[in-house]
Every structure is written in structure tokens, then in C-alpha cells.
Amino acid sequence: MGAGIPGLEQAYHVLFVACLVVLAVFLMLCLVRAIIGPRIADRLVAVNMMGTMIMVIIGILTVMLQEGYLADICLIYAMISFLAVVVLTKVYMGVYQEKHREEEKKDGSN
């Protein structure tokens, strides 16, 4: 990138570092949202967003460091992140349905 233009390589480096810093700040804000909630759905969305931001960070590092293997790591992380969100959603739905059934049993017995 920017092989023939003087100063362009440095401009790209500053841009990439600025993007990484902004994404790190957003990642911390998502971590706060995942911790304080208030609902489970908010936590699931925050975890999913964190996974997406980490993939973008790995993508930026791939271009910045010119290391192709990081793109493979990003793809593997995407699959793992997707599976984690699906499993967490499945567990949450099971807990929600069980709670809903208990409430129906309570209301039916009264």
C-alpha cells in the first residue's frame, strides 16, 4: 500500500492505529453492556457485537501487518463466534420456555 507515494504509508499506519483505538474503546463499552445487562437479550447482542468487532480488528491487523494467516484466523474466529451466539441463544430460549411453562402451571392451578 502506498508504495510509490511518499508519506502515504505513514498515513495508512496512522489511520489503522486510529481505527484500532476506536474499536478498542467500543469493545470496552460493549463489555460493560454485556456485564450490566439489564436483560439477557442485551447481553447476547453485546457478546455478538464484541465478536464482530474483534473480527474487524483482526482484519485491520491483517492489512496493517501484511500477514495473510491472520485472515484465516479471522474466519475461524467468525465460525466460533457464530456458534457461541447460537448456543447461548438456544440456552436462553430453553430457560425462557421453562420459566414460561412454570408460570402457566401456577396460573392453571389457581
Side-chain angles (χ1 to χ4, degrees):
M1 286 190 319
I5 302 171
L8 192 58
E9 190 69 35
Q10 185 179 5
Y12 273 125
H13 184 73
V14 170
L15 176 69
F16 290 149
V17 170
C19 287
L20 289 173
V21 168
V22 168
L23 285 169
V25 170
F26 287 160
L27 195 62
M28 292 301 128
L29 292 173
C30 282
L31 182 62
V32 169
R33 173 52 64 194
I35 291 171
I36 63 173
R39 296 180 304 236
I40 303 257
D42 296 329
R43 290 183 173 108
L44 283 174
V45 170
V47 168
N48 192 17
M49 190 180 300
M50 286 171 56
T52 303
M53 281 193 278
I54 288 173
M55 286 183 274
V56 172
I57 288 171
I58 294 172
I60 290 172
L61 287 174
T62 300
V63 175
M64 185 176 166
L65 301 175
Q66 297 177 354
E67 297 289 344
Y69 69 90
L70 288 174
D72 298 333
I73 292 172
C74 185
L75 289 172
I76 292 169
Y77 188 84
M79 289 185 283
I80 291 171
S81 176
F82 172 74
L83 286 174
V85 170
V86 168
V87 167
L88 287 172
T89 304
K90 185 76 171 164
V91 168
Y92 169 66
M93 289 304 294
V95 169
Y96 174 78
Q97 289 173 350
E98 184 66 31
K99 190 164 129 182
H100 189 64
R101 280 189 216 118
E102 287 177 8
E103 288 176 1
E104 284 181 354
K105 286 182 183 178
K106 266 189 200 178
D107 291 341
S109 65
N110 286 335

